[in-house]
Amino acid sequence: RLPVPKLEDTIKRYLNAQKPLLNDEQFRKTEQLARAFEKGIGRELHEQLVAQDNQNKHTSYITGPWFDMYLKAREPVLLNFNPFMSFNPDPKPEYNDQLIRATNMTVSAIRFMKTFRAGYLEPEVFHLNPEKSDTEIFKKIIRFVPSSISWFGAYMVNAYPLDMSQYFRLFNSTRIPKLNKDELYTDEKAKHLLVLRNGNFYVFDVIDRDGNMLKPSEIQAHLKYILSDNSPAPAFPLGYLTSENRDTWALLRKNLLDNGNEEALQKVDSAMFCLSLDDFPIKDLVHLSHTMLHGDGANRWFDKSFSLIITKDGTAGINFEHSWGDGVAVLRFQNEVFKDSTTTPAISPQSQPASVDSSRAVQKLDFKLNDALKAGVTKAKQTFDSTVESLSLNMIQFQEGGKELLKQKKVSPDAVAQLAFQMAFLRQYDQTVATYESCSTAAFKHGRTETIRPASVHTKKCSEAFVKGLSQHSTEELQNLIMECSKYHGRLTKEAAMGQGFDRHLFSLRCLALSKGLPLPEFYQDQAYASLNHNIISTSTLVSPAVQLGGFGPVVADGFGVGYQVQDDWIGCNVSSYPARNGKEYLQCIHKSLEDIFNVLKGKKIGS
């Protein structure tokens, strides 16, 4: 179970995270408020949270508040919440044809779903010592141990089974807009796929009456039929509504239902997943990011648990709604679909589609729109266009080294990337700001994420030495400063993964106070608390053989969204920003910072 940290540890960690962001006077005030909270109302709330947690052993203390946080948010899911991860191309170029890849990936996705629902999906396990635990003999033995104690057997060999409770929401699931708080809807009995092309909606069954998957050649035939349908794009594409403010969309949805669209919406909501087929090829990686993060808005349904997006040239990616689950579940799905569709593809370029009557099997959904709905779509499109217009996406690949070299030098690759983000911001804006790195707590029952706070007194000191004080430091001193950052970041990461951060704990205590109708404790009214949670640098990382790159929007108007991956011999960064910040310049500063850090680690003297 996810532990509730000790209150004194939480306060200590909170103050450590505040230290680099505040001047002495501000820090004194924040420290006073924190100590008063720790002794007073905070202690009472903490004891209530622990008691509540002990009564709810089937779940974790963060589950309720975290779902509420997502589902009560009224901002659009587009750019504010939905991230994307794009697939690497199929290693066999001729398989990157749009129809072939769409068929193969759809078949692999259904195989994954059937394997999962039948209880045959291999458990997700984090192996600290893979030589001992990631072996056939271990799997054979653990298979016969009753599940109530099998996790203990895994712990003995340093293997940590991860929580998979989110997986059931991958399929046949949608976030439904409701006033004040949305709902998650899942219908595991539905057998059809939703396909979007040119803003038109199509559905067809991919599972037959006996629960078997349709033949791949039939799925291929139906997708071919959709790709060759030359119906015009709708004048009022409904997809735009899913990019609206949630209350606005909730009212429009009610209007849609009252206007005779219940059956069509039901098909959309219950579909296994959404397959978006785009009619253009990808020009470059920036174009790829824009396409997978937001696209044109007409050919998307952002509320679906996930959408598989495939462009004209067979480039594929996933855009997912974030309330139901985290990157861990989606990444596992992506890894399996990539592996299955590339190593055992269902169809080949030589395969012929089945001779079936697709015009009967495929249903094109028609929506009845009144003037209010037409106006709603028009307004949603205008908002979408202006929002997307203001979004910049930029990226770099740092080619002068990666994980291998950093491990040789005994520094944490993630710590170096995070240090570069701090150094770059200091170089560009001359300040240290609230920074967020997400860390999965899936090692615990119903764990979600915890925050790592990469901005520390160590990164601030090191960044200032590199940016402002090079002449006063020897290469060896600079190396030592990097080492300090690496050690501290390693500790923070380990604490977060073990559920020992401070963010989720303080967040839960705040939610508890509000749910009891108490006045908001003074601690939470501190400007420093608000600033720490205004995450100007929001970061997330993943490395996978299936994923080419990932990204997300900034979480605040004056922020950066930084998706990054540290590979064996290069480091990639994908940065999103709005006009308040210059993402291109920030990336140049990140590149310069990485260059300086690597040169210092190699023992070279660097110039300012």
Side-chain angles (χ1 to χ4, degrees):
R1 298 196 63 232
L2 184 68
V4 178
K6 290 182 182 147
L7 185 59
E8 50 274 29
D9 289 347
T10 287
I11 296 297
K12 191 173 90 200
R13 290 169 182 142
Y14 169 74
L15 291 171
N16 283 343
Q18 286 287 19
K19 191 108 198 169
L21 309 179
L22 304 174
N23 64 30
D24 290 350
E25 195 183 329
Q26 291 167 327
F27 184 75
R28 260 199 307 279
K29 183 192 164 206
T30 291
E31 190 174 24
Q32 273 167 356
L33 287 168
R35 295 288 171 226
F37 179 74
E38 184 186 348
K39 291 190 189 80
I41 182 70
R43 172 71 48 205
E44 289 168 41
L45 289 168
H46 174 75
E47 281 163 9
Q48 287 174 18
L49 182 70
V50 171
Q52 205 176 310
D53 185 52
N54 287 333
Q55 285 168 348
N56 291 284
K57 293 208 180 315
H58 62 285
T59 187
S60 74
Y61 77 90
I62 193 62
T63 303
W66 209 239
F67 271 119
D68 280 357
M69 181 273 299
Y70 274 121
L71 295 172
K72 284 180 176 170
R74 299 292 85 192
E75 303 88 351
V77 293
L78 167 81
L79 300 187
N80 295 306
F81 295 107
N82 286 29
F84 82 87
M85 300 193 272
S86 72
F87 286 97
N88 274 316
D90 193 304
K92 303 182 289 297
E94 67 279 15
Y95 279 77
N96 287 309
D97 167 87
Q98 187 177 27
L99 175 61
I100 290 163
R101 199 159 199 208
T103 306
N104 282 329
M105 286 194 145
T106 298
V107 169
S108 294
I110 299 165
R111 285 175 179 162
F112 179 93
M113 182 206 73
K114 286 183 66 64
T115 309
F116 170 66
R117 287 194 181 155
Y120 290 126
L121 193 64
E122 194 172 305
E124 189 70 17
V125 179
F126 177 67
H127 297 275
L128 257 182
N129 192 348
E131 301 79 62
K132 269 191 184 162
S133 56
D134 201 3
T135 61
E136 286 312 310
I137 188 153
F138 170 73
K139 288 177 191 172
K140 271 199 183 102
I141 295 167
I142 207 79
R143 191 171 287 143
F144 296 108
V145 181
S147 60
S148 57
I149 55 167
S150 60
W151 62 273
F152 190 72
Y155 272 24
M156 300 303 283
V157 288
N158 257 340
Y160 297 88
L162 302 184
D163 178 75
M164 294 174 76
S165 62
Q166 297 174 3
Y167 283 52
F168 84 100
R169 291 257 190 227
L170 260 170
F171 300 102
N172 303 98
S173 298
T174 298
R175 175 173 173 162
I176 309 275
K178 299 271 175 164
L179 285 175
N180 304 321
K181 182 183 170 184
D182 292 356
E183 282 170 16
L184 291 174
Y185 169 82
T186 302
D187 177 4
E188 292 189 352
K189 290 193 278 295
K191 298 173 163 46
H192 61 281
L193 177 70
L194 170 68
V195 183
L196 263 53
R197 177 169 169 260
N198 206 10
N200 288 306
F201 291 65
Y202 306 85
V203 292
F204 63 86
D205 283 355
V206 286
I207 302 280
D208 68 17
R209 252 172 299 190
D210 304 323
N212 299 314
M213 179 172 67
L214 243 61
K215 287 197 195 89
S217 59
E218 292 181 30
I219 293 175
Q220 182 187 6
H222 298 336
L223 291 176
K224 187 178 179 182
Y225 170 80
I226 292 169
L227 282 168
S228 51
D229 178 23
N230 46 23
S231 306
F236 299 96
L238 271 201
Y240 284 114
L241 295 180
T242 62
S243 70
E244 254 295 7
N245 166 285
R246 302 307 291 176
D247 282 340
T248 308
W249 172 205
L251 293 169
L252 287 163
R253 181 187 161 90
K254 190 180 177 317
N255 189 339
L256 269 170
L257 292 169
D258 295 344
N259 212 41
N261 296 295
E262 195 169 345
E263 204 178 311
L265 276 174
Q266 171 63 22
K267 288 275 190 208
V268 171
D269 296 336
S270 62
M272 193 172 293
F273 61 90
C274 173
L275 172 64
S276 288
L277 299 171
D278 284 347
D279 278 347
F280 53 83
I282 292 295
K283 300 195 216 40
D284 54 35
L285 290 177
V286 170
H287 182 222
L288 171 73
S289 290
H290 279 289
T291 301
M292 300 304 169
L293 188 57
H294 56 77
D296 70 347
N299 213 40
R300 299 287 182 271
W301 196 262
F302 294 109
D303 289 354
K304 227 33 210 156
S305 57
F306 76 89
S307 295
L308 174 59
I309 301 160
I310 303 184
T311 60
K312 193 78 179 155
D313 56 3
T315 303
I318 278 182
N319 178 297
F320 70 96
E321 198 282 309
H322 217 322
S323 64
W324 64 270
D326 303 302
V328 186
V330 182
L331 189 61
R332 169 72 187 271
F333 170 70
Q334 257 188 288
N335 288 340
E336 300 279 2
V337 166
F338 182 76
K339 187 175 158 194
D340 189 70
S341 64
T342 54
T343 55
T344 52
I347 64 162
S348 75
Q350 288 70 48
S351 303
Q352 288 302 311
S355 45
V356 285
D357 185 359
S358 293
S359 67
R360 285 185 61 185
V362 177
Q363 180 194 355
K364 183 164 173 254
L365 300 181
D366 280 314
F367 294 93
K368 303 174 195 67
L369 306 184
N370 57 25
D371 289 347
L373 286 165
K374 288 176 181 174
V377 172
T378 304
K379 187 181 162 298
K381 181 183 183 331
Q382 286 165 350
T383 309
F384 176 91
D385 289 343
S386 66
T387 307
V388 161
E389 182 104 352
S390 70
L391 177 80
S392 300
L393 292 173
N394 295 282
M395 63 193 58
I396 53 158
Q397 279 190 358
F398 175 79
Q399 301 284 5
E400 291 155 53
K403 205 181 289 178
E404 282 179 0
L405 189 125
L406 295 171
K407 284 191 166 162
Q408 274 169 21
K409 302 288 178 194
K410 300 200 167 26
V411 288
S412 143
D414 191 58
V416 165
Q418 289 289 348
L419 174 60
F421 304 153
Q422 292 301 314
M423 215 176 269
F425 199 89
L426 187 75
R427 189 179 291 280
Q428 189 180 3
Y429 295 106
D430 195 25
Q431 56 184 151
T432 298
V433 291
T435 307
Y436 181 108
E437 178 182 358
S438 67
C439 175
S440 170
T441 50
F444 299 98
K445 188 182 187 71
H446 294 190
R448 294 280 316 230
T449 56
E450 182 52 271
T451 310
I452 298 168
R453 292 291 183 174
S456 66
V457 286
H458 304 284
T459 60
K460 188 175 186 175
K461 188 175 168 190
C462 183
S463 299
E464 285 176 344
F466 272 80
V467 174
K468 299 173 175 177
L470 266 186
S471 53
Q472 293 122 25
H473 295 276
S474 68
T475 304
E476 194 184 345
E477 282 168 351
L478 293 173
Q479 284 174 345
N480 289 337
L481 287 171
I482 296 170
M483 283 303 191
E484 278 301 302
C485 292
S486 174
K487 266 200 291 246
Y488 187 70
H489 187 78
R491 196 182 101 197
L492 289 183
T493 304
K494 201 175 234 164
E495 285 176 353
M498 296 314 288
Q500 294 292 335
F502 66 84
D503 281 85
R504 299 297 173 271
H505 186 197
L506 289 178
F507 177 77
S508 299
L509 295 176
R510 185 176 185 272
C511 292
L512 188 61
L514 295 174
S515 74
K516 298 260 190 241
L518 299 170
L520 189 64
E522 223 185 323
F523 171 80
Y524 292 108
Q525 297 179 47
D526 182 8
Q527 182 50 48
Y529 180 84
S531 299
L532 183 68
N533 288 290
H534 182 86
N535 290 298
I536 290 176
I537 306 173
S538 181
T539 73
S540 189
T541 185
L542 56 97
V543 175
S544 146
V547 174
Q548 187 172 15
L549 83 166
F552 49 92
V555 297
V556 290
D558 58 342
F560 289 123
V562 186
Y564 65 104
Q565 38 181 324
V566 185
Q567 298 283 8
D568 285 343
D569 51 5
W570 59 275
I571 298 172
C573 284
N574 191 4
V575 168
S576 62
S577 57
Y578 294 120
R581 298 278 177 200
N582 184 337
K584 210 176 190 125
E585 191 180 294
Y586 183 50
L587 276 169
Q588 287 163 355
C589 293
I590 290 174
H591 197 279
K592 162 90 175 119
S593 302
L594 285 169
E595 223 166 20
D596 287 352
I597 294 166
F598 272 79
N599 281 332
V600 162
L601 289 172
K602 289 173 188 164
K604 292 184 185 166
K605 188 144 180 60
I606 52 170
S608 52

